[in-house]
């Protein structure tokens, strides 16, 4: 077959992923914090984009540029200025309020004595302490967070105690380095030999300082393991006897609830073992957990669901998470007429206008898509909102996508890192999508989350004399119409960190003995 060149015309349909289309997909799965950061970057580089002021908010420029028109009130009203009763008592040019006070029999000189905009503080020297006081030189509103007492971290709390414990500057330097190696629970993360090599001292010196630091408050801090943490606390209570040391050396048996082996190892009877376990339970395995370790960020819901007056559900987008951005058409028309380079400036402004219009349309489409998905989820999970988690229906992405006529990938992007505030609490949108479990009686299928909740309730209500095994849970669920295998029950139980029936029986009996004593 001979090879030859030819010119052919072919027509085909293809989907081209343009940069704008890719950014639209990315906008759909962004959280409101990521979205606000992205919009701030676009506003910074696009002169036609600007943030829309919130409701009830006005800019300072609008107040500064406003001027009252100079009109003659006497001519407009047709009254004579000779009579006192006919004079304009609201004349803005008069600074004397005595006549107004006499006519209205009231005093409006200063009805709000605490108004700092009208009165200066009695102590001018204190103005420097108020960084952004209203009416001050800065002219900005102060932040209430500046006056809230700051929380003390674990490192700050320990640093305040170190100077009273160690008097040498070299020892304080080593102690501060060991303090920096603490994790959020108060445990020392690092080897003392490495610390000694890094600071140019001996390991014995570091160990001696570490031994002194372990006497600080809270008890158990600077420990290198759970056993050492509990030992420090028991030593301070003068309760670290040989039997307790043997118990701390076999914490893995305590985790397994193997009390028979613990009695043999510690050489104690049941009564002494119960007292020792009660002392262990009174200790704090995480001494640094009560301190503030970092800032916590509140989750803002993207969708708010409320009960309507007619018995339906009102689904609304949270206005606090909606971006407010506008396209300044007036500025575009004004700057287009004053372009110094008509060709280049016109192309730049046209591109900025196109990008700005695309962003606003994409944000509007994003809000509509979130609203569609959330409304369908509420419609599907109406029983959950009314009666609780026991009535959570099995739901998948395909069901929602077919109902709103969208692709499953679009629904998946919408439900990622989005939250819904309901009368039942705050839930991630993915929480409502659960696996379906067949019904034993041929009825409606059950949600896996609802079945896990039912298993958790049954185990929480069991008595020490009648601990349910996995086979017992399977039989109870089958009577209520849930067809589930024993290995599935075991998998659900382990996912909820619930021990086996043997371990639960040992724990419940021990707790019952401790409560009886």
């Amino acid at each position: 077959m001979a090879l030859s060149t030819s010119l052919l015309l072919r027509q085909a349909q293809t989907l081209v992923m343009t940069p704008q289309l890719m950014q639209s997909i990315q906008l759909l799965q962004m959280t409101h914090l990521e979205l606000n950061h992205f919009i701030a970057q676009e506003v910074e580089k696009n002169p036609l984009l600007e943030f829309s002021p919130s409701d009830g908010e006005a800019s300072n420029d609008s107040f500064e540029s406003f001027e009252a028109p100079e009109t003659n009130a006497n001519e407009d009203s047709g009254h004579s200025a000779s009579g006192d009763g006919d004079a304009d008592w609201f004349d803005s040019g008069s600074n004397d309020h005595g006549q107004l006070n006499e006519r209205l029999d009231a005093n409006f000189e200063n009805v709000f004595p605490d108004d700092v905009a009208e009165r200066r503080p009695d102590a001018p020297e204190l103005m420097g302490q108020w960084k952004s006081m209203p009416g001050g030189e800065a002219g900005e509103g102060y932040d209430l967070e500046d006056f809230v007492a700051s929380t003390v971290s674990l490192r700050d709390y320990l640093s305040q105690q170190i100077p009273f414990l160690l008097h040498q500057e070299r020892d304080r330097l080593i102690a501060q380095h060991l303090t920096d190696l603490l994790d959020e629970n108060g445990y020392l993360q690092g080897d003392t030999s490495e610390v000694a090599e890094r600071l140019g001292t001996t390991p014995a010196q570091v160990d001696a300082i570490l031994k002194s630091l372990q006497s600080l408050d809270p008890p158990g801090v600077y420990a290198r393991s759970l056993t050492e943490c509990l030992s420090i606390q028991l030593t301070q209570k003068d309760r670290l006897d040989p039997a307790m040391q043997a118990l701390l050396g076999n914490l893995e048996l305590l985790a397994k609830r193997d009390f028979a082996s613990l009695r043999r190892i510690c050489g104690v009877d049941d009564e002494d073992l119960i007292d020792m376990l009660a002392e262990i339970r009174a200790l704090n395995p995480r001494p640094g957990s009560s301190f503030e370790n970092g800032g916590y960020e509140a989750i803002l819901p993207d969708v708010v669901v409320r009960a309507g007056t007619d018995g339906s559900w009102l689904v609304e987008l949270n206005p606090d998470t909606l971006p407010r951005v506008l396209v300044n058409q007036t500025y575009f028309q004004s700057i287009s007429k004053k372009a110094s380079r008509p060709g280049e400036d016109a192309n730049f402004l046209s591109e900025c206008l196109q990008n700005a219009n695309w962003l606003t349309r994409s944000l509007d489409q994003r809000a509509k898509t979130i609203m569609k998905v959330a409304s369908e989820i509420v419609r599907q999970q109406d029983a959950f909102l009314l009666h609780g988690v026991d009535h959570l229906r099995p739901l998948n992405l395909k069901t929602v996508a077919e109902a709103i006529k969208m692709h499953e990938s679009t629904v998946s992007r919408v439900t990622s890192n989005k939250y819904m505030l309901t009368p039942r609490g705050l839930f991630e949108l993915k929480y409502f999508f659960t696996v379906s479990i067949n019904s034993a009686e041929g009825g409606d299928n059950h949600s896996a989350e609802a079945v896990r909740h039912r298993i958790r309730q049954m185990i929480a209500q069991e008595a020490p004399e009648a601990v349910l095994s996995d086979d017992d849970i399977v039989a109870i669920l089958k009577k209520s119409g849930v067809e589930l295998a024993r290995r599935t029950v075991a998998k659900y139980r382990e996912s909820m960190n619930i021990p086996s029936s043997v371990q639960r029986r040992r724990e419940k009996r021990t707790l019952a003995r401790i409560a009886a004593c």
Side-chain angles (χ1 to χ4, degrees), residues 430-451:
K430 285 189 176 296
Y431 172 82
F432 299 99
F433 296 90
T434 59
V435 180
S436 176
I437 297 178
N438 297 329
S439 175
E441 300 176 355
D444 295 337
N445 295 341
H446 303 273
S447 170
E449 184 65 28
V451 173

Side-chain angles (χ1 to χ4, degrees), residues 6-14:
S6 60
L7 184 63
L8 301 176
L9 182 62
R10 180 180 300 173
Q11 184 177 5
Q13 292 183 350
T14 58

Side-chain angles (χ1 to χ4, degrees), residues 451-453 455-456 459 462 467-471 473 484-504:
V451 173
R452 277 194 292 265
H453 178 71
I455 294 174
R456 189 186 302 112
I459 293 177
E462 63 185 3
V467 176
L468 299 175
S469 64
D470 294 342
D471 293 328
I473 296 176
L484 209 61
R486 189 194 62 82
R487 61 179 180 274
T488 306
V489 172
K491 181 181 68 174
Y492 287 170
R493 176 177 51 76
E494 292 174 357
S495 65
M496 295 183 289
N497 295 324
I498 297 176
S500 62
S501 59
V502 177
Q503 296 179 356
R504 296 200 311 272

